[in-house]
Amino acid sequence: MVWCSGWRLASAVSNAGALGIIGSASMYPDVLREHIQKCKAATNNLFAVNVALMYPDIDKLMEIIIEEEVPIVFTSAGNPKTWTSVLKNNHIKVVHVISSSKFAKKAEDAGADAVVAEGFEAGGHNGREETTTLCLIPLVKEAVKIPVIAAGGIASGKAMAAMFALGAEGIQMGTRFAASIEASGHENFKRKIVSISEGDTMVSLKKLTPVRMIKNKFFEMVKEAENRGASEEELKQLLGRARAKKGMFEGNLDEGELEIGEISATIHEIMPAAEIVKEVWKEFLQTKNEIASLNTDD
Ligand SMILES: Cc1cc2nc3c(=O)[nH]c(=O)nc-3n(C[C@H](O)[C@H](O)[C@H](O)COP(=O)(O)O)c2cc1C
């Protein structure tokens, strides 16, 4: 997660037995190298790096990932064709993030080892088709043979069990971890995540790249511009280059872009990442057992 998942969060999640992911989207190449090296020092478990392909310097980021022998890369927001084979030739597992079964197929054809199927509920950048997670997972399961990791609107063990019931082989959580102690987002942002309610996020900036964010002053500025038919160029200028940093990293809750998912409405506490993993896993197992007991005849 851009501005939220550095080595501290990634290593805490990996140490807790899940797969921590460093989000490279906010990082210059030398910063990414530092995060990878610190993550290696902080955990002996597997971790991954996410590369959002829409940002600059991708070739430099990939060079570092290969040099540092990162075991798994999650690519998103771009064409999986370009980088999958390069990474795989360097013995790196590749997971590509998609929001439709059409792109899932493309990722499979490009040689990806798995896909993250991310529904419209998710925080951050969203698919244009607006397919919700509940509809997306069965569609993607039908379309591809590679493992499907469900994302979007998952913050509990019950939701995880629901995704497994739909055929997913794993889940990815963003919003829940953005509200963890180890997330690198600003305290103001974390406190905002745990205080907002149902209906407080919306997808905006559809003329550029659709993004789900908290409805704050910046969101209202975008809405006003969109309502009067602002051009792509004007919206680009309004967004600028540092909106997300201003909001999520510097904690400016009015002027910044605050990317977060719908499921934030159910999150009420900023917790250590390890506790989140433990709680979700325990609830997942409990739910699985409860569902299994429904199948008995008595
Ligand atoms: C603050 C924030 C930043 C994110 N940044 C990225 C990113 O840089 N690259 C990416 O592939 N996904 C990004 N995402 C999406 C997450 O990786 C994940 O798929 C999504 O949060 C799952 O849905 P959820 O928010 O309902 O848990 C981001 C999500 C959030 C909340």
Side-chain angles (χ1 to χ4, degrees):
M1 290 179 289
V2 65
W3 298 115
C4 292
S5 52
W7 70 272
R8 276 197 186 83
L9 178 56
S11 59
V13 170
S14 288
N15 280 332
L19 181 71
I21 309 178
I22 296 174
S24 72
S26 49
M27 297 178 184
Y28 290 115
D30 54 335
V31 175
L32 174 63
R33 191 189 294 279
E34 196 185 318
H35 277 264
I36 293 171
Q37 289 178 349
K38 285 184 170 163
C39 197
K40 280 183 191 166
T43 184
N44 289 323
N45 293 346
L46 287 176
F47 67 93
V49 172
N50 167 249
V51 183
L53 300 170
M54 65 196 270
Y55 293 109
D57 281 342
I58 299 302
D59 46 347
K60 289 193 192 119
L61 297 178
M62 293 297 191
E63 208 177 291
I64 288 167
I65 284 168
I66 293 165
E67 273 171 24
E68 292 292 333
E69 299 180 351
V70 171
I72 308 166
V73 169
F74 283 56
T75 50
S76 58
N79 189 342
K81 249 191 180 169
T82 327
W83 286 102
T84 304
S85 56
V86 176
L87 293 168
K88 296 208 59 157
N89 288 341
N90 284 279
H91 316 292
I92 296 172
K93 295 263 183 237
V94 180
V95 183
H96 190 65
V97 184
I98 52 87
S99 56
S100 71
S101 50
K102 182 176 130 197
F103 285 108
K105 195 87 198 64
K106 278 196 174 171
E108 185 175 59
D109 292 345
D113 295 286
V115 283
V116 169
E118 192 200 64
F120 189 56
E121 300 90 328
H125 291 113
N126 259 258
R128 292 191 182 279
E129 302 80 2
E130 309 197 351
T131 311
T132 56
T133 308
L134 203 65
C135 299
L136 183 64
I137 304 308
L139 290 167
V140 173
K141 279 301 291 180
E142 247 177 56
V144 298
K145 292 194 175 62
I146 53 176
V148 175
I149 299 163
I154 305 160
S156 67
K158 286 192 169 87
M160 179 173 168
M163 293 304 115
F164 275 66
L166 290 175
E169 278 91 358
I171 58 140
Q172 169 167 289
M173 298 194 305
T175 294
R176 183 82 202 261
F177 285 122
S180 68
I181 305 265
E182 293 86 350
S184 48
H186 196 280
E187 257 327 284
N188 293 351
F189 178 47
K190 295 187 199 179
R191 281 201 288 265
K192 185 79 181 167
I193 299 170
V194 295
S195 72
I196 58 176
S197 311
E198 197 180 332
D200 283 346
T201 74
M202 195 172 243
V203 172
S204 189
L205 287 168
K206 291 185 187 174
K207 265 192 189 166
L208 306 178
T209 308
V211 55
R212 184 175 292 282
M213 61 171 102
I214 296 174
K215 292 176 181 169
N216 64 349
K217 190 175 153 202
F218 169 64
F219 169 85
E220 293 302 334
M221 282 155 67
V222 172
K223 197 169 129 192
E224 185 275 323
E226 286 180 334
N227 284 348
R228 64 176 157 75
S231 66
E232 222 178 289
E233 205 39 55
E234 192 184 337
L235 291 172
K236 261 187 201 159
Q237 268 182 18
L238 182 58
L239 179 63
R241 279 189 63 85
R243 281 285 175 189
K245 182 180 185 190
K246 190 177 264 181
M248 295 188 280
F249 197 65
E250 293 168 2
N252 187 330
L253 300 181
D254 291 328
E255 302 285 337
E257 184 199 53
L258 306 170
E259 298 180 13
I260 213 68
E262 276 186 339
I263 204 66
S264 53
T266 68
I267 302 169
H268 308 298
E269 200 187 336
I270 302 165
M271 284 168 54
E275 291 298 311
I276 295 174
V277 173
K278 214 163 110 185
E279 182 202 285
V280 169
W281 182 246
K282 193 173 157 202
E283 192 184 88
F284 167 70
L285 294 178
Q286 264 167 8
T287 310
K288 226 168 63 115
N289 288 339
E290 278 165 25
I291 292 171
S293 72
L294 292 177
N295 290 332
T296 58
D297 288 330
D298 44 63

